[in-house]
Amino acid sequence: MKSEKATTEILKVGIWIRVSTDRQVRDESPEHHEQRAKYYIDAKGWDLVKTYRLDGISGKGIIDHPEAQRMLNDVRNGEINGLVFSKLARLARSTKELLEFADIFRRSGAYLISLSENIDTSTHSGMLFFTVLSAMAEWEREEIASRVSASIPVRANLGKPIGGQAIFGYSWKDKQFIINEEESHVRKLIFDIYLRTMRRKTTADELNRLGYRTRKGALFSDTTVERLIRDTTVKGERIANYTRTGTGKKRVVLKPKSDWITVECPQIISPELWDRANRILNEQKTKRAPVGRRSDYLFSGLLKCSCLKKMYVKNARIYKCLDCGVKIAISTIDEMYRGILTEGLNEGRLTGLVEKLRIQLMDKQALLSEAIADKAALDEKLERYVGMAIEDTITVQHFGMYIKKLGKESVPVQELLKKLESEIDSQTRRIQAFEEHMGDALFLAREWSSITYQRKRGIIETITRSILVGEKEVSVEFSARLGSLDAQEETPDLISATTQMSFFHRRSNKSAQKNYLQDPKTIGEHIRKKRIDSGLSQADLGKILKVSTDCVTFWENNRSEPQIKYYPRINLFLGYNPIKFDENNFRDRLRKYRYQNGASFRKMALLLKVDASTVRAWELGHNRPSQEKLTELDRLLAQNSH
């Protein structure tokens, strides 16, 4: 019960309104709380001075919120000497904060009035009741949190989502954990490259060079590669319930392993492959040094015959292709490589290339500054129109018209900003990589005779993309990182050199024409056959198809398949489409159109004004388009049937 003293002394009061979520804002109307408080204030004859509102704010910790601080400053300054609120939980849910509020009000000679619980802190009994009820409010919050925590392991055991997005290579769809077809082949590729190179950074560099990016569009790093190799989901064991929300600076904290839950999920790779990769990672961590390719010979694992088969050391004197018999002496290739490195490297030319690339970078940065200025001008216009609308100096119709016009103008500016920022970031990284490799190559050329074998081998692995031994020549292509740098007049590889030779031996009973399958099945086998028949190197074909040499290598070795955007150029090169389609099958006709035009699901969806998932479902036969869409599709596919 309220004291008479409180009733007569309280003259200036404020109303406190807080609801936790947007749903409560809708369901528990703040206006309803405010009206109820006003009725009470009018009945008591008090003066309503101010109203404090916190919509959609949790009561777990609100004392530092700007609106709460405004209210407390008003109490301390005597602007109000009483605060009315609908119920205790609307003020705050933390016992500590509720008692802090009460203490501040008591020291300021002000009062807290809760309508639902009939609490008035001006009395001893009211203060006691306030303390007890606030403790119960905190208990309720902790009880809810406890029930939520207890339900997480149950949901995890059932394979249901418990928050957070699926790891790269997987997706949640209709509460089912499934393989993401667009990302899963990258997960496989990570293991393929890592098991071949046994280096995390090299793996990341190859992925980036092939054009792959993380889900957020960032470049792959050695840390990302290690995390994806360590992750057990890829071998069919998804770990759930292993983290919790941390305190302070630690946003996420690992739970004890006894709380972790392992759930079966679809596999992307075999457990044996996962074990091999992780065994290498563990060895590298233990020894604090890369395991790498162990060899007594400088170019083991790097030297390939023109048929693309590796050459092996025989009799400790020569490298030999076991498939077609090409040979070269160990001492000869050592001398040739050193000669190409020493004579072919021109520090002035390389420095000029870097300078040229930096000028290109500055040009893009200047364009970015202009685009930022354009965006600022559009933002200023938007603020001006909003101000005019608030002041009622323009009609709603005119405001809508101006905003629509601004929206159209801002789209190309936003797209240009995004494009330039991406290009600048990419080119900056590539220039840094180029300078790093250039320094390594120049150091190797200068110090060839004095540095250790291990150091020499490490630099050669870093700066050398390929060494191909042909019938009459040896081709050395340096710096795998640099092939994708954007210099139009001159490709900024450290050097791509060919040396003519006359002392190779080839068995006449084995023709180069036998170095591919006569009856190719995969797209890579078709590409390899046509390339060899045309007398082209992989580098030559890469230029024709506008891809890197590594892309061609991976396709021909069936390590990966071309992205759909490359198929039109591939079909043009082959002179035919190697994929067979059933013209009487709607799904095949749709697929044929996409492959002939290099149209991804997203591009096709934009063309048809539907979602990409809808096009995918049509092609997979999960559902069929409406009659209207079917007619539109028939017209589109008919145009492409020739």
Side-chain angles (χ1 to χ4, degrees), residues 414-460:
Q414 294 282 9
E415 290 177 351
L416 180 61
L417 275 173
K418 186 176 179 181
K419 180 175 181 289
L420 287 172
E421 287 171 350
S422 175
E423 289 178 355
I424 288 170
D425 178 67
S426 178
Q427 183 126 336
T428 301
R429 290 172 182 270
R430 288 169 179 170
I431 291 173
Q432 291 171 349
F434 179 66
E435 290 180 318
E436 178 187 333
H437 280 204
M438 183 177 73
D440 284 341
L442 292 171
F443 172 78
L444 181 61
R446 286 194 309 267
E447 308 295 334
W448 182 278
S449 301
S450 60
I451 60 177
T452 63
Y453 167 83
Q454 289 81 4
R455 176 70 171 137
K456 193 183 297 182
R457 168 75 185 192
I459 295 176
I460 288 172

Side-chain angles (χ1 to χ4, degrees), residues 6 12 149 183 198 207 213 220 226 239 268 275 283 287 301 304 340 366 398 413 463 479 494 560 573-574 589 614 617:
K12 298 179 296 182
S149 298
E183 298 175 350
M198 290 184 270
L207 290 171
R213 297 293 182 266
F220 280 91
E226 180 172 358
I239 298 175
I268 292 178
D275 289 339
E283 288 176 9
K287 296 179 180 180
K304 291 183 179 180
I340 291 172
H398 280 91
V413 175
I463 68 172
S479 191
L494 293 185
S560 65
F573 167 70
L574 294 175
R589 289 175 63 210
T614 301

Side-chain angles (χ1 to χ4, degrees), residues 75-92:
V75 171
R76 294 187 183 101
N77 297 332
E79 294 285 329
I80 63 171
N81 53 12
L83 186 69
V84 180
F85 45 93
S86 61
K87 57 182 178 179
L88 191 66
R90 294 301 101 210
L91 180 59

Side-chain angles (χ1 to χ4, degrees), residues 381-390 394 399 402-403 406:
K381 278 187 180 180
L382 177 62
E383 289 181 10
R384 188 164 67 249
Y385 290 147
V386 170
M388 293 168 67
I390 292 172
I394 57 173
F399 177 72
Y402 293 149
I403 294 300
L406 274 179

Side-chain angles (χ1 to χ4, degrees), residues 306 326 336 468-475 498-506:
S306 57
V326 168
M336 285 179 53
L468 291 179
V469 180
E471 187 174 1
K472 295 182 180 180
E473 63 184 25
V474 170
S475 298
T498 300
T499 301
Q500 300 294 325
M501 300 299 296
S502 60
F503 43 80
F504 295 98
H505 306 281
R506 181 184 297 274

Side-chain angles (χ1 to χ4, degrees), residues 623-637:
N623 57 44
R624 284 182 63 81
S626 65
Q627 189 58 48
E628 181 182 352
K629 282 295 176 189
L630 194 58
T631 303
E632 184 180 347
L633 275 165
D634 283 338
R635 283 199 301 268
L636 179 68
L637 300 181

